[in-house]
Amino acid sequence: MRLRLHLARTVDHDVWRSAREAIPEHRAVVVEVRARGESGWGEAPEFMTSVYSSRLATLIERLRGVESILYSCDPERPELTWARLAPLLTDCPFALGALDVACHDLAARLAGVPLYERLGCPDPTGRRSAYSIGLDEPEAMVAKLPESSDWHMYKVKLGKAGDLDVLRLLRKRTDAPFWLDGNAGWARQDLEAVLGELPSLGVAAIEQPFPVGDRQAQLRAREVSPVPIFADESVTNREEFERHAGDFDGVNVKILKAGGITPSLEILRACRERGVSTMLGCLPESSIGASAAAHLSGMVDHVDVDTIALLATDTGTGIRLDGSGRIGLPDLPGTGFVPDAASEAWVVDPESVVGPVGAGLLGGVTG
């Protein structure tokens, strides 16, 4: 296999905000692996850089560092490729994850089948994604509710107990359940003060209310919470699953945080064996990452791959979401992603984003 790297920069219709940060644009290294005239695609976004070693320059350096290994890897055996790369990229999971996604995509394209079929996963067609509403002023958050209001669940970013007023305003516009996402920004006393109100507001679950290290707060909240509590940042890989999955009612699995499709499937299967509920989530990704994630959505209880519905610019086309969040797959092998060379998302000048990075880095889509 041969490796090509590209840079992409996408933007949402609105600045994306959570309790942790505000993101005006999404920058990513796009991974393309090629063999036998086919390409597989993955992407590694610059997101929570201090936690995931995901600065663009770092991602490029680490990806180039393992490039020579790909030459001798079998494009039809992505799981074996992951096993060779994982020890070298354990501390850089987005680079590992982007490579693994690209290799799985390539293998499915070479086999001429959709990715879900090659993975042995159920057909995800028709599964419904949640729709995410980023943190903002209450009126602005209500305005972000899609005009159709037909999505079956809304994932609402809230930073503190006082933000519950947002749910009350949203409840006037929709009967759909809410998924409350705290992004590790809540204090224990604040959450406990409002737990009793959550069922009447139609809250289906709470995701990662506390910082990763505050295990005692999490255990106490789970004892008294009337709704399930899901892990996000606390359980990102198989090792963390073994240590902490029992602290939560469910886990939001994100492919890049886990280090790829290969370990994500391991976590999802372990969850099923232990009766742990699951959500499949996404990071600030384009149709590259969302399309890959969608192919795993038949494995989970809840789906959150709405990132493409939030984008004003995209890297290309792949899965589709209708007005109620139902997943539709293109009639193509692999993830179904097709790059759009004319899109503004492809960065023309790499140095304007990361500075000098050496020869071989591509700034756009090439043949």
Side-chain angles (χ1 to χ4, degrees), residues 1 66-74 77-90 96 99-100 262:
M1 291 186 289
V66 298
E67 181 177 10
S68 61
I69 295 174
L70 295 174
Y71 298 158
S72 59
C73 289
D74 184 347
R77 302 292 299 277
E79 298 84 0
L80 297 182
T81 301
W82 185 89
R84 292 183 63 182
L85 296 175
L88 305 174
L89 294 173
T90 300
L96 177 62
L99 280 170
D100 190 56
T262 300

Side-chain angles (χ1 to χ4, degrees), residues 19-20 158-159 181-187 207-212 232-234:
R20 185 176 48 232
L158 296 182
D181 190 353
N183 282 118
W186 284 60
E207 182 177 325
Q208 195 70 43
F210 308 120
V212 172
D232 181 357
E233 290 87 351
S234 288

Side-chain angles (χ1 to χ4, degrees), residues 108-338:
R109 291 176 191 247
L110 290 173
V113 298
L115 177 60
Y116 76 84
E117 183 176 326
R118 189 194 172 276
L119 295 174
C121 296
D123 185 343
T125 302
R127 291 300 310 272
R128 298 180 71 179
S129 171
Y131 186 92
S132 300
I133 299 177
L135 188 64
D136 211 321
E137 295 299 320
E139 295 76 12
M141 293 182 70
V142 173
K144 293 177 182 180
L145 197 72
E147 290 185 8
S148 67
S149 296
D150 286 336
W151 293 65
H152 85 118
M153 180 184 289
Y154 293 97
K155 189 173 185 180
V156 186
K157 303 282 188 178
L158 296 182
K160 57 186 184 301
D163 292 338
L164 229 61
D165 288 340
V166 173
L167 297 188
R168 298 185 183 96
L169 291 173
L170 289 170
R171 181 52 69 215
K172 296 177 181 179
R173 294 271 308 275
T174 178
D175 295 326
F178 297 132
W179 186 283
L180 194 162
D181 190 353
N183 282 118
W186 284 60
R188 170 179 167 177
Q189 62 272 19
D190 288 343
L191 181 62
E192 291 189 3
V194 300
L195 281 175
E197 299 181 62
L198 300 185
S200 63
L201 287 171
V203 173
I206 310 167
E207 182 177 325
Q208 195 70 43
F210 308 120
V212 172
D214 201 349
R215 189 183 184 197
Q216 291 307 310
Q218 165 56 32
L219 292 175
R220 168 60 182 164
R222 191 181 179 200
E223 287 180 2
V224 299
S225 176
V227 299
I229 301 180
F230 275 61
D232 181 357
E233 290 87 351
S234 288
V235 179
T236 62
N237 54 47
R238 183 61 187 267
E239 181 180 343
E240 291 173 348
F241 175 83
E242 297 297 337
R243 290 203 309 265
H244 299 302
D247 299 348
F248 297 86
D249 301 293
V251 176
N252 185 352
V253 177
K254 297 181 178 178
I255 289 174
L256 290 181
K257 288 184 179 182
I261 288 173
T262 300
S264 293
L265 287 174
E266 291 183 359
I267 296 172
L268 291 174
R269 288 166 180 150
C271 285
R272 179 177 294 174
E273 291 172 1
R274 301 187 191 185
V276 177
S277 296
T278 51
M279 170 178 267
L280 184 71
C282 55
L283 300 182
E285 299 170 71
S286 73
S287 281
I288 300 171
S291 295
H295 281 262
L296 274 62
S297 62
M299 295 277 292
V300 300
D301 301 304
H302 308 282
V303 183
D304 178 32
V305 293
D306 69 325
T307 178
I308 56 173
L310 306 176
L311 289 176
T313 58
D314 201 349
T315 52
T317 58
I319 65 153
R320 303 174 302 277
L321 297 175
D322 69 11
S324 62
R326 286 187 177 85
I327 294 172
L329 300 183
D331 187 18
L332 294 169
T335 67
F337 171 74
V338 177

Side-chain angles (χ1 to χ4, degrees), residues 8-12 16 23-28 45 284-285 307 311:
R9 178 165 49 199
T10 57
V11 295
D12 289 339
W16 180 248
I23 307 174
E25 65 179 21
H26 311 304
R27 308 193 307 177
E285 299 170 71
T307 178
L311 289 176

